[in-house]
PDB file of all heavy atoms in Angstrom:
ATOM      1  N   LYS H  53      -9.824  -7.738   4.055  1.00  0.00           N
ATOM      2  CA  LYS H  53      -8.519  -7.376   4.630  1.00  0.00           C
ATOM      3  C   LYS H  53      -8.271  -5.892   4.456  1.00  0.00           C
ATOM      4  O   LYS H  53      -7.757  -5.224   5.366  1.00  0.00           O
ATOM      5  CB  LYS H  53      -7.433  -8.236   3.974  1.00  0.00           C
ATOM      6  CG  LYS H  53      -7.443  -9.704   4.390  1.00  0.00           C
ATOM      7  CD  LYS H  53      -6.297 -10.410   3.703  1.00  0.00           C
ATOM      8  CE  LYS H  53      -6.287 -11.876   4.144  1.00  0.00           C
ATOM      9  NZ  LYS H  53      -5.196 -12.646   3.494  1.00  0.00           N
ATOM     10  N   ALA H  54      -8.592  -5.407   3.232  1.00  0.00           N
ATOM     11  CA  ALA H  54      -8.317  -3.976   2.969  1.00  0.00           C
ATOM     12  C   ALA H  54      -9.165  -3.088   3.909  1.00  0.00           C
ATOM     13  O   ALA H  54      -8.706  -2.027   4.323  1.00  0.00           O
ATOM     14  CB  ALA H  54      -8.644  -3.681   1.535  1.00  0.00           C
ATOM     15  N   ALA H  55     -10.380  -3.527   4.170  1.00  0.00           N
ATOM     16  CA  ALA H  55     -11.255  -2.730   5.055  1.00  0.00           C
ATOM     17  C   ALA H  55     -10.694  -2.615   6.455  1.00  0.00           C
ATOM     18  O   ALA H  55     -10.844  -1.609   7.139  1.00  0.00           O
ATOM     19  CB  ALA H  55     -12.667  -3.333   5.100  1.00  0.00           C
ATOM     20  N   LYS H  56     -10.011  -3.680   6.936  1.00  0.00           N
ATOM     21  CA  LYS H  56      -9.430  -3.669   8.284  1.00  0.00           C
ATOM     22  C   LYS H  56      -8.224  -2.750   8.316  1.00  0.00           C
ATOM     23  O   LYS H  56      -7.990  -2.050   9.314  1.00  0.00           O
ATOM     24  CB  LYS H  56      -9.047  -5.118   8.678  1.00  0.00           C
ATOM     25  CG  LYS H  56     -10.232  -5.974   8.991  1.00  0.00           C
ATOM     26  CD  LYS H  56      -9.785  -7.334   9.461  1.00  0.00           C
ATOM     27  CE  LYS H  56     -10.965  -8.229   9.809  1.00  0.00           C
ATOM     28  NZ  LYS H  56     -10.540  -9.564  10.306  1.00  0.00           N
ATOM     29  N   THR H  57      -7.371  -2.797   7.273  1.00  0.00           N
ATOM     30  CA  THR H  57      -6.141  -1.983   7.247  1.00  0.00           C
ATOM     31  C   THR H  57      -6.336  -0.609   6.707  1.00  0.00           C
ATOM     32  O   THR H  57      -5.485   0.238   6.866  1.00  0.00           O
ATOM     33  CB  THR H  57      -5.091  -2.717   6.410  1.00  0.00           C
ATOM     34  OG1 THR H  57      -5.587  -2.863   5.093  1.00  0.00           O
ATOM     35  CG2 THR H  57      -4.769  -4.069   6.969  1.00  0.00           C
ATOM     36  N   GLY H  58      -7.522  -0.408   6.083  1.00  0.00           N
ATOM     37  CA  GLY H  58      -7.754   0.946   5.515  1.00  0.00           C
ATOM     38  C   GLY H  58      -7.131   1.146   4.166  1.00  0.00           C
ATOM     39  O   GLY H  58      -7.206   2.228   3.623  1.00  0.00           O
ATOM     40  N   GLY H  59      -6.542   0.077   3.595  1.00  0.00           N
ATOM     41  CA  GLY H  59      -5.901   0.232   2.266  1.00  0.00           C
ATOM     42  C   GLY H  59      -6.764  -0.406   1.234  1.00  0.00           C
ATOM     43  O   GLY H  59      -7.957  -0.664   1.380  1.00  0.00           O
ATOM     44  N   SER H  60      -6.209  -0.581   0.020  1.00  0.00           N
ATOM     45  CA  SER H  60      -6.957  -1.128  -1.101  1.00  0.00           C
ATOM     46  C   SER H  60      -6.723  -2.647  -1.159  1.00  0.00           C
ATOM     47  O   SER H  60      -5.738  -3.178  -0.671  1.00  0.00           O
ATOM     48  CB  SER H  60      -6.484  -0.525  -2.447  1.00  0.00           C
ATOM     49  OG  SER H  60      -5.083  -0.781  -2.631  1.00  0.00           O
ATOM     50  N   SER H  61      -7.689  -3.354  -1.716  1.00  0.00           N
ATOM     51  CA  SER H  61      -7.625  -4.831  -1.801  1.00  0.00           C
ATOM     52  C   SER H  61      -6.663  -5.258  -2.923  1.00  0.00           C
ATOM     53  O   SER H  61      -6.418  -4.508  -3.875  1.00  0.00           O
ATOM     54  CB  SER H  61      -8.980  -5.415  -2.047  1.00  0.00           C
ATOM     55  OG  SER H  61      -9.474  -5.016  -3.320  1.00  0.00           O
ATOM     56  N   ALA H  62      -6.184  -6.497  -2.840  1.00  0.00           N
ATOM     57  CA  ALA H  62      -5.294  -7.028  -3.857  1.00  0.00           C
ATOM     58  C   ALA H  62      -6.001  -7.176  -5.180  1.00  0.00           C
ATOM     59  O   ALA H  62      -5.401  -7.073  -6.241  1.00  0.00           O
ATOM     60  CB  ALA H  62      -4.740  -8.411  -3.411  1.00  0.00           C
ATOM     61  N   SER H  63      -7.286  -7.409  -5.148  1.00  0.00           N
ATOM     62  CA  SER H  63      -8.068  -7.588  -6.392  1.00  0.00           C
ATOM     63  C   SER H  63      -8.213  -6.277  -7.174  1.00  0.00           C
ATOM     64  O   SER H  63      -8.483  -6.266  -8.328  1.00  0.00           O
ATOM     65  CB  SER H  63      -9.450  -8.150  -6.127  1.00  0.00           C
ATOM     66  OG  SER H  63     -10.143  -7.252  -5.252  1.00  0.00           O
ATOM     67  N   ASP H  64      -7.970  -5.178  -6.470  1.00  0.00           N
ATOM     68  CA  ASP H  64      -8.103  -3.849  -7.120  1.00  0.00           C
ATOM     69  C   ASP H  64      -6.749  -3.350  -7.619  1.00  0.00           C
ATOM     70  O   ASP H  64      -6.650  -2.236  -8.113  1.00  0.00           O
ATOM     71  CB  ASP H  64      -8.652  -2.814  -6.158  1.00  0.00           C
ATOM     72  CG  ASP H  64     -10.081  -3.177  -5.718  1.00  0.00           C
ATOM     73  OD1 ASP H  64     -10.751  -3.880  -6.496  1.00  0.00           O
ATOM     74  OD2 ASP H  64     -10.459  -2.856  -4.580  1.00  0.00           O
ATOM     75  N   ALA H  65      -5.710  -4.201  -7.514  1.00  0.00           N
ATOM     76  CA  ALA H  65      -4.361  -3.738  -7.811  1.00  0.00           C
ATOM     77  C   ALA H  65      -4.229  -3.336  -9.264  1.00  0.00           C
ATOM     78  O   ALA H  65      -3.571  -2.347  -9.590  1.00  0.00           O
ATOM     79  CB  ALA H  65      -3.356  -4.844  -7.459  1.00  0.00           C
ATOM     80  N   ASP H  66      -4.758  -4.166 -10.156  1.00  0.00           N
ATOM     81  CA  ASP H  66      -4.601  -3.912 -11.591  1.00  0.00           C
ATOM     82  C   ASP H  66      -5.370  -2.664 -12.029  1.00  0.00           C
ATOM     83  O   ASP H  66      -4.983  -2.019 -12.984  1.00  0.00           O
ATOM     84  CB  ASP H  66      -5.078  -5.103 -12.407  1.00  0.00           C
ATOM     85  CG  ASP H  66      -4.221  -6.300 -12.188  1.00  0.00           C
ATOM     86  OD1 ASP H  66      -3.038  -6.115 -11.805  1.00  0.00           O
ATOM     87  OD2 ASP H  66      -4.697  -7.444 -12.374  1.00  0.00           O
ATOM     88  N   SER H  67      -6.435  -2.367 -11.358  1.00  0.00           N
ATOM     89  CA  SER H  67      -7.250  -1.216 -11.746  1.00  0.00           C
ATOM     90  C   SER H  67      -6.851   0.076 -11.044  1.00  0.00           C
ATOM     91  O   SER H  67      -7.388   1.114 -11.330  1.00  0.00           O
ATOM     92  CB  SER H  67      -8.734  -1.505 -11.465  1.00  0.00           C
ATOM     93  OG  SER H  67      -8.895  -1.735 -10.108  1.00  0.00           O
ATOM     94  N   ASP H  68      -5.908  -0.015 -10.088  1.00  0.00           N
ATOM     95  CA  ASP H  68      -5.533   1.155  -9.308  1.00  0.00           C
ATOM     96  C   ASP H  68      -4.062   1.174  -9.028  1.00  0.00           C
ATOM     97  O   ASP H  68      -3.611   1.072  -7.890  1.00  0.00           O
ATOM     98  CB  ASP H  68      -6.348   1.205  -7.976  1.00  0.00           C
ATOM     99  CG  ASP H  68      -6.278   2.569  -7.307  1.00  0.00           C
ATOM    100  OD1 ASP H  68      -5.718   3.503  -7.944  1.00  0.00           O
ATOM    101  OD2 ASP H  68      -6.736   2.640  -6.157  1.00  0.00           O
ATOM    102  N   LYS H  69      -3.221   1.236 -10.077  1.00  0.00           N
ATOM    103  CA  LYS H  69      -1.762   1.154  -9.936  1.00  0.00           C
ATOM    104  C   LYS H  69      -1.183   2.342  -9.143  1.00  0.00           C
ATOM    105  O   LYS H  69      -0.280   2.171  -8.346  1.00  0.00           O
ATOM    106  CB  LYS H  69      -1.129   1.071 -11.290  1.00  0.00           C
ATOM    107  CG  LYS H  69      -1.415  -0.240 -11.999  1.00  0.00           C
ATOM    108  CD  LYS H  69      -0.714  -0.351 -13.312  1.00  0.00           C
ATOM    109  CE  LYS H  69      -0.971  -1.701 -13.984  1.00  0.00           C
ATOM    110  NZ  LYS H  69      -0.308  -1.821 -15.285  1.00  0.00           N
ATOM    111  N   PRO H  70      -1.655   3.621  -9.343  1.00  0.00           N
ATOM    112  CA  PRO H  70      -1.104   4.687  -8.541  1.00  0.00           C
ATOM    113  C   PRO H  70      -1.248   4.457  -7.085  1.00  0.00           C
ATOM    114  O   PRO H  70      -0.371   4.742  -6.280  1.00  0.00           O
ATOM    115  CB  PRO H  70      -1.922   5.917  -9.028  1.00  0.00           C
ATOM    116  CG  PRO H  70      -2.327   5.568 -10.418  1.00  0.00           C
ATOM    117  CD  PRO H  70      -2.575   4.082 -10.389  1.00  0.00           C
ATOM    118  N   ALA H  71      -2.445   3.977  -6.717  1.00  0.00           N
ATOM    119  CA  ALA H  71      -2.686   3.662  -5.278  1.00  0.00           C
ATOM    120  C   ALA H  71      -1.705   2.644  -4.768  1.00  0.00           C
ATOM    121  O   ALA H  71      -1.253   2.702  -3.642  1.00  0.00           O
ATOM    122  CB  ALA H  71      -4.126   3.202  -5.097  1.00  0.00           C
ATOM    123  N   LYS H  72      -1.352   1.686  -5.671  1.00  0.00           N
ATOM    124  CA  LYS H  72      -0.416   0.619  -5.277  1.00  0.00           C
ATOM    125  C   LYS H  72       0.958   1.236  -5.017  1.00  0.00           C
ATOM    126  O   LYS H  72       1.652   0.828  -4.060  1.00  0.00           O
ATOM    127  CB  LYS H  72      -0.366  -0.428  -6.364  1.00  0.00           C
ATOM    128  CG  LYS H  72       0.367  -1.681  -5.951  1.00  0.00           C
ATOM    129  CD  LYS H  72       0.207  -2.734  -7.027  1.00  0.00           C
ATOM    130  CE  LYS H  72       0.907  -4.026  -6.620  1.00  0.00           C
ATOM    131  NZ  LYS H  72       0.759  -5.097  -7.631  1.00  0.00           N
ATOM    132  N   LYS H  73       1.374   2.185  -5.881  1.00  0.00           N
ATOM    133  CA  LYS H  73       2.686   2.809  -5.703  1.00  0.00           C
ATOM    134  C   LYS H  73       2.691   3.602  -4.415  1.00  0.00           C
ATOM    135  O   LYS H  73       3.687   3.590  -3.667  1.00  0.00           O
ATOM    136  CB  LYS H  73       2.964   3.712  -6.882  1.00  0.00           C
ATOM    137  CG  LYS H  73       3.263   2.911  -8.204  1.00  0.00           C
ATOM    138  CD  LYS H  73       3.554   3.857  -9.341  1.00  0.00           C
ATOM    139  CE  LYS H  73       3.844   3.133 -10.626  1.00  0.00           C
ATOM    140  NZ  LYS H  73       4.144   4.017 -11.732  1.00  0.00           N
ATOM    141  N   THR H  74       1.612   4.350  -4.165  1.00  0.00           N
ATOM    142  CA  THR H  74       1.525   5.152  -2.952  1.00  0.00           C
ATOM    143  C   THR H  74       1.631   4.257  -1.715  1.00  0.00           C
ATOM    144  O   THR H  74       2.304   4.590  -0.744  1.00  0.00           O
ATOM    145  CB  THR H  74       0.213   5.926  -2.926  1.00  0.00           C
ATOM    146  OG1 THR H  74       0.114   6.754  -4.080  1.00  0.00           O
ATOM    147  CG2 THR H  74       0.115   6.757  -1.668  1.00  0.00           C
ATOM    148  N   ALA H  75       0.930   3.100  -1.824  1.00  0.00           N
ATOM    149  CA  ALA H  75       0.971   2.154  -0.671  1.00  0.00           C
ATOM    150  C   ALA H  75       2.406   1.658  -0.492  1.00  0.00           C
ATOM    151  O   ALA H  75       2.862   1.494   0.667  1.00  0.00           O
ATOM    152  CB  ALA H  75       0.025   1.005  -0.969  1.00  0.00           C
ATOM    153  N   ALA H  76       3.108   1.445  -1.613  1.00  0.00           N
ATOM    154  CA  ALA H  76       4.505   0.948  -1.488  1.00  0.00           C
ATOM    155  C   ALA H  76       5.379   1.990  -0.842  1.00  0.00           C
ATOM    156  O   ALA H  76       6.218   1.663   0.033  1.00  0.00           O
ATOM    157  CB  ALA H  76       5.038   0.631  -2.886  1.00  0.00           C
ATOM    158  N   LYS H  77       5.213   3.323  -1.223  1.00  0.00           N
ATOM    159  CA  LYS H  77       6.004   4.362  -0.614  1.00  0.00           C
ATOM    160  C   LYS H  77       5.703   4.504   0.859  1.00  0.00           C
ATOM    161  O   LYS H  77       6.561   4.653   1.696  1.00  0.00           O
ATOM    162  CB  LYS H  77       5.685   5.703  -1.308  1.00  0.00           C
ATOM    163  CG  LYS H  77       6.251   5.775  -2.749  1.00  0.00           C
ATOM    164  CD  LYS H  77       5.909   7.118  -3.364  1.00  0.00           C
ATOM    165  CE  LYS H  77       6.479   7.215  -4.762  1.00  0.00           C
ATOM    166  NZ  LYS H  77       6.167   8.542  -5.395  1.00  0.00           N
ATOM    167  N   THR H  78       4.403   4.408   1.177  1.00  0.00           N
ATOM    168  CA  THR H  78       3.988   4.516   2.580  1.00  0.00           C
ATOM    169  C   THR H  78       4.642   3.384   3.403  1.00  0.00           C
ATOM    170  O   THR H  78       5.133   3.590   4.504  1.00  0.00           O
ATOM    171  CB  THR H  78       2.475   4.406   2.687  1.00  0.00           C
ATOM    172  OG1 THR H  78       1.909   5.464   1.957  1.00  0.00           O
ATOM    173  CG2 THR H  78       2.037   4.556   4.175  1.00  0.00           C
ATOM    174  N   THR H  79       4.653   2.182   2.808  1.00  0.00           N
ATOM    175  CA  THR H  79       5.261   1.034   3.501  1.00  0.00           C
ATOM    176  C   THR H  79       6.727   1.233   3.704  1.00  0.00           C
ATOM    177  O   THR H  79       7.300   0.918   4.754  1.00  0.00           O
ATOM    178  CB  THR H  79       4.992  -0.257   2.663  1.00  0.00           C
ATOM    179  OG1 THR H  79       3.611  -0.434   2.493  1.00  0.00           O
ATOM    180  CG2 THR H  79       5.579  -1.458   3.379  1.00  0.00           C
ATOM    181  N   ALA H  80       7.432   1.748   2.632  1.00  0.00           N
ATOM    182  CA  ALA H  80       8.884   2.003   2.746  1.00  0.00           C
ATOM    183  C   ALA H  80       9.153   3.028   3.814  1.00  0.00           C
ATOM    184  O   ALA H  80      10.123   2.911   4.562  1.00  0.00           O
ATOM    185  CB  ALA H  80       9.390   2.441   1.379  1.00  0.00           C
ATOM    186  N   SER H  81       8.335   4.086   3.821  1.00  0.00           N
ATOM    187  CA  SER H  81       8.482   5.146   4.795  1.00  0.00           C
ATOM    188  C   SER H  81       8.330   4.643   6.222  1.00  0.00           C
ATOM    189  O   SER H  81       9.081   4.966   7.126  1.00  0.00           O
ATOM    190  CB  SER H  81       7.492   6.266   4.552  1.00  0.00           C
ATOM    191  OG  SER H  81       7.569   7.303   5.503  1.00  0.00           O
ATOM    192  N   LYS H  82       7.304   3.742   6.396  1.00  0.00           N
ATOM    193  CA  LYS H  82       7.065   3.177   7.713  1.00  0.00           C
ATOM    194  C   LYS H  82       8.259   2.317   8.119  1.00  0.00           C
ATOM    195  O   LYS H  82       8.700   2.312   9.263  1.00  0.00           O
ATOM    196  CB  LYS H  82       5.817   2.297   7.685  1.00  0.00           C
ATOM    197  CG  LYS H  82       4.535   3.161   7.670  1.00  0.00           C
ATOM    198  CD  LYS H  82       3.324   2.213   7.729  1.00  0.00           C
ATOM    199  CE  LYS H  82       2.019   2.996   7.728  1.00  0.00           C
ATOM    200  NZ  LYS H  82       0.835   2.133   7.780  1.00  0.00           N
ATOM    201  N   ALA H  83       8.808   1.576   7.122  1.00  0.00           N
ATOM    202  CA  ALA H  83       9.923   0.704   7.450  1.00  0.00           C
ATOM    203  C   ALA H  83      11.137   1.526   7.899  1.00  0.00           C
ATOM    204  O   ALA H  83      11.846   1.170   8.825  1.00  0.00           O
ATOM    205  CB  ALA H  83      10.287  -0.119   6.266  1.00  0.00           C
ATOM    206  N   THR H  84      11.409   2.689   7.174  1.00  0.00           N
ATOM    207  CA  THR H  84      12.526   3.570   7.510  1.00  0.00           C
ATOM    208  C   THR H  84      12.343   4.156   8.914  1.00  0.00           C
ATOM    209  O   THR H  84      13.287   4.169   9.716  1.00  0.00           O
ATOM    210  CB  THR H  84      12.632   4.682   6.507  1.00  0.00           C
ATOM    211  OG1 THR H  84      12.769   4.133   5.214  1.00  0.00           O
ATOM    212  CG2 THR H  84      13.846   5.581   6.814  1.00  0.00           C
ATOM    213  N   THR H  85      11.113   4.582   9.186  1.00  0.00           N
ATOM    214  CA  THR H  85      10.809   5.148  10.529  1.00  0.00           C
ATOM    215  C   THR H  85      11.067   4.143  11.619  1.00  0.00           C
ATOM    216  O   THR H  85      11.605   4.434  12.671  1.00  0.00           O
ATOM    217  CB  THR H  85       9.362   5.645  10.568  1.00  0.00           C
ATOM    218  OG1 THR H  85       9.158   6.575   9.482  1.00  0.00           O
ATOM    219  CG2 THR H  85       9.043   6.275  11.888  1.00  0.00           C
ATOM    220  N   GLN H  86      10.600   2.891  11.333  1.00  0.00           N
ATOM    221  CA  GLN H  86      10.764   1.824  12.339  1.00  0.00           C
ATOM    222  C   GLN H  86      12.249   1.551  12.578  1.00  0.00           C
ATOM    223  O   GLN H  86      12.672   1.311  13.696  1.00  0.00           O
ATOM    224  CB  GLN H  86      10.049   0.572  11.873  1.00  0.00           C
ATOM    225  CG  GLN H  86       8.522   0.710  11.911  1.00  0.00           C
ATOM    226  CD  GLN H  86       7.870  -0.520  11.337  1.00  0.00           C
ATOM    227  OE1 GLN H  86       8.509  -1.373  10.831  1.00  0.00           O
ATOM    228  NE2 GLN H  86       6.537  -0.538  11.456  1.00  0.00           N
ATOM    229  N   LYS H  87      13.076   1.562  11.479  1.00  0.00           N
ATOM    230  CA  LYS H  87      14.532   1.292  11.672  1.00  0.00           C
ATOM    231  C   LYS H  87      15.170   2.416  12.466  1.00  0.00           C
ATOM    232  O   LYS H  87      16.000   2.137  13.354  1.00  0.00           O
ATOM    233  CB  LYS H  87      15.182   1.228  10.292  1.00  0.00           C
ATOM    234  CG  LYS H  87      14.826  -0.063   9.516  1.00  0.00           C
ATOM    235  CD  LYS H  87      15.555  -0.103   8.190  1.00  0.00           C
ATOM    236  CE  LYS H  87      15.245  -1.397   7.452  1.00  0.00           C
ATOM    237  NZ  LYS H  87      15.926  -1.454   6.116  1.00  0.00           N
TER     238      LYS H  87
END
């Protein structure tokens, strides 16, 4: 799934927390833009 979306996999969440936060910010930004 991560390869299709270009993001990181859920299994890598615990080993890559900064990436997870960045992904969350990106998602929030996308949501604001969409609104």
Side-chain angles (χ1 to χ4, degrees):
K53 290 182 178 179
K56 288 183 178 180
T57 59
S60 60
S61 65
S63 60
D64 298 331
D66 293 336
S67 61
D68 194 8
K69 290 183 179 179
K72 190 173 183 179
K73 289 181 180 179
T74 302
K77 289 181 179 180
T78 302
T79 302
S81 177
K82 286 183 178 180
T84 303
T85 303
Q86 290 176 353
K87 288 182 180 179

